[in-house]
Amino acid sequence: MKCFNHYGGYLCLPRSASVIPAPEPPTPSLPESQPEPYQCPLGYKPEGDSCTDIDECERDEHDCQPSQECINTQGSFNCQCPDGYRKVGTECIDIDECRYRYCQHRCVNVPGSFSCQCEPGFQLAGNNRSCIDVDECGMGAPCQHRCYNTYGTFLCRCDQGYELGADGYACNDIDECSYSSFLCQHQCVNEPGKFSCVCPEGYQLLGTRLCQDVNECETGAHECTDAQNCVNIHGGYKCVDTDPCNEPYVQVSDNRCMCPVTNPACHGLPYFIVHRYMSVTSERSVPSDIFQIHATSVYPGANNSFRIRTGDENGDFYIRQINNISAMLVLARAVTGPKEYVLDLEMVSVNLVMSYQSSSALRLSIYVGPHAF
């Protein structure tokens, strides 16, 4: 058998068979002025022998909303919401990013975005979300003296001797002198940030608050003559004569005067007068023991008594007898200087057995200083 190809198959015929093909019908042709159009899928346009994508976004052939962005795709397009928006139906709705706690402190939502804000005393970190502490001290905080940075804020502190003002920044001087009258023995002087104690003339500062009398007689800071003795008193000195005896007394030693019994003018006067000098401060608390009198000569069987013979016309002093040979001079009333007293303190000795009576006196010069301590 012989194989003959046939439309849609083949034929097996004897080898002696022959096939005479029928002539093919003529193919009709279109007029040259009407070529057959090339068909392209939807979203494409013919271009020569091929199809190219139509950019609907560029040709404004889309139905995207004004709030949406048109994105061209092959054969079509998409309507896309801008960043910060989400698509709900055909509309773009702003995303509230603050709902998702993106910010450490405070979040402020804006259309299509958000911003983070920090509490006072903090500033945004480089990631624009976290908040870091601001060092106000290094940025010129308005503290007058010292600044201490703390988390989220700062504190002002003052130097010693100052206190922080109501505004929390300024430092005001503390008037230490107004708090107590015992800061200084004499006078307190307020200074910026501190105080100092000053002493009156004739005194020097001992330590920081006490006043010590200057002994001008020892330092040589006096103007007494050779015929005078220097007597130191509180806040100054006195120049007294080296011969303090007045008629009818005669000097028997530096400060001892005697009235001779052979002199008729000595009748009724103390046999001896011993001169002593002392000083007290003004406004001294009373009663106050200020001077002790002690007999230097005691006769057997004698009864001794003490009294203020002269110089206490106002009754500022009194005598408190301790025993038969000693007594105490007491300041009875507070006195204010400068003032000077000259008291004759007399000891009267009486011997009843021998009917003998004698007396001696101590002439005490008391200088009251002008200052109270």
Side-chain angles (χ1 to χ4, degrees), residues 177-296:
C177 299
S178 65
Y179 284 92
S180 174
S181 58
F182 298 102
L183 291 177
C184 298
Q185 187 177 14
H186 177 62
Q187 182 181 358
C188 178
V189 178
N190 185 60
E191 299 177 14
K194 60 181 181 178
F195 71 96
S196 61
C197 296
V198 296
C199 298
E201 185 178 1
Y203 291 83
Q204 60 185 1
L205 196 63
L206 179 64
T208 58
R209 60 174 299 271
L210 300 179
C211 292
Q212 184 182 50
D213 175 58
V214 176
N215 192 332
E216 294 86 356
C217 299
E218 290 184 356
T219 62
H222 62 84
E223 297 180 354
C224 297
T225 66
D226 294 338
Q228 295 176 318
N229 289 326
C230 178
V231 176
N232 185 63
I233 62 174
H234 288 294
Y237 64 94
K238 289 288 183 180
C239 295
V240 297
D241 294 335
T242 55
D243 181 6
C245 302
N246 298 319
E247 290 288 343
Y249 286 89
V250 293
Q251 187 175 12
V252 292
S253 63
D254 288 344
N255 61 346
R256 191 179 181 90
C257 302
M258 182 184 69
C259 198
V261 294
T262 57
N263 189 340
C266 292
H267 181 71
L269 296 178
Y271 182 58
F272 287 106
I273 294 181
V274 178
H275 290 264
R276 290 284 187 270
Y277 308 93
M278 68 171 295
S279 67
V280 296
T281 57
S282 291
E283 303 299 327
R284 184 165 177 166
S285 59
V286 292
S288 178
D289 296 345
I290 62 172
F291 192 86
Q292 186 173 3
I293 313 163
H294 191 81
T296 57

Side-chain angles (χ1 to χ4, degrees), residues 19 22 24 33 37 49 63 86 122 130 202 214 234 247 277 322 327:
V19 177
E24 293 184 2
S33 60
D49 294 337
D63 58 355
R86 60 188 177 91
F122 295 86
S130 303
V214 176
H234 288 294
E247 290 288 343
Y277 308 93
I322 300 173

Side-chain angles (χ1 to χ4, degrees), residues 58-125:
E58 182 179 349
R59 299 170 63 172
D60 201 20
E61 296 177 357
H62 60 83
D63 58 355
C64 295
Q65 298 296 324
S67 60
Q68 298 172 341
E69 182 181 358
C70 178
I71 305 296
N72 185 62
T73 62
Q74 290 295 320
S76 185
F77 63 91
N78 286 330
C79 295
Q80 181 175 321
C81 293
D83 292 340
Y85 292 83
R86 60 188 177 91
K87 195 172 183 180
V88 178
T90 60
E91 293 294 332
C92 290
I93 305 300
D94 174 54
I95 299 173
D96 185 2
E97 294 86 355
C98 296
R99 296 175 54 189
Y100 303 101
R101 301 183 180 274
Y102 288 148
C103 300
Q104 182 179 355
H105 284 183
R106 287 184 282 117
C107 178
V108 178
N109 186 62
V110 295
S113 184
F114 69 99
S115 63
C116 294
Q117 296 180 354
C118 297
E119 300 293 343
F122 295 86
Q123 63 183 5
L124 275 176

Side-chain angles (χ1 to χ4, degrees), residues 25-31:
T27 301
S29 59
L30 294 175

Side-chain angles (χ1 to χ4, degrees), residues 279-343:
S279 67
V280 296
T281 57
S282 291
E283 303 299 327
R284 184 165 177 166
S285 59
V286 292
S288 178
D289 296 345
I290 62 172
F291 192 86
Q292 186 173 3
I293 313 163
H294 191 81
T296 57
S297 298
V298 180
Y299 298 99
N303 183 28
N304 300 315
S305 62
F306 299 86
R307 65 171 183 165
I308 300 175
R309 181 181 176 91
T310 59
D312 187 29
E313 290 76 10
N314 295 324
D316 295 331
F317 304 87
Y318 67 86
I319 290 287
R320 176 170 56 83
Q321 188 157 341
I322 300 173
N323 50 44
N324 191 48
I325 60 172
S326 62
M328 183 69 69
L329 177 66
V330 181
L331 178 65
R333 297 192 303 178
V335 292
T336 303
K339 193 172 184 179
E340 182 179 348
Y341 293 89
V342 179
L343 304 179

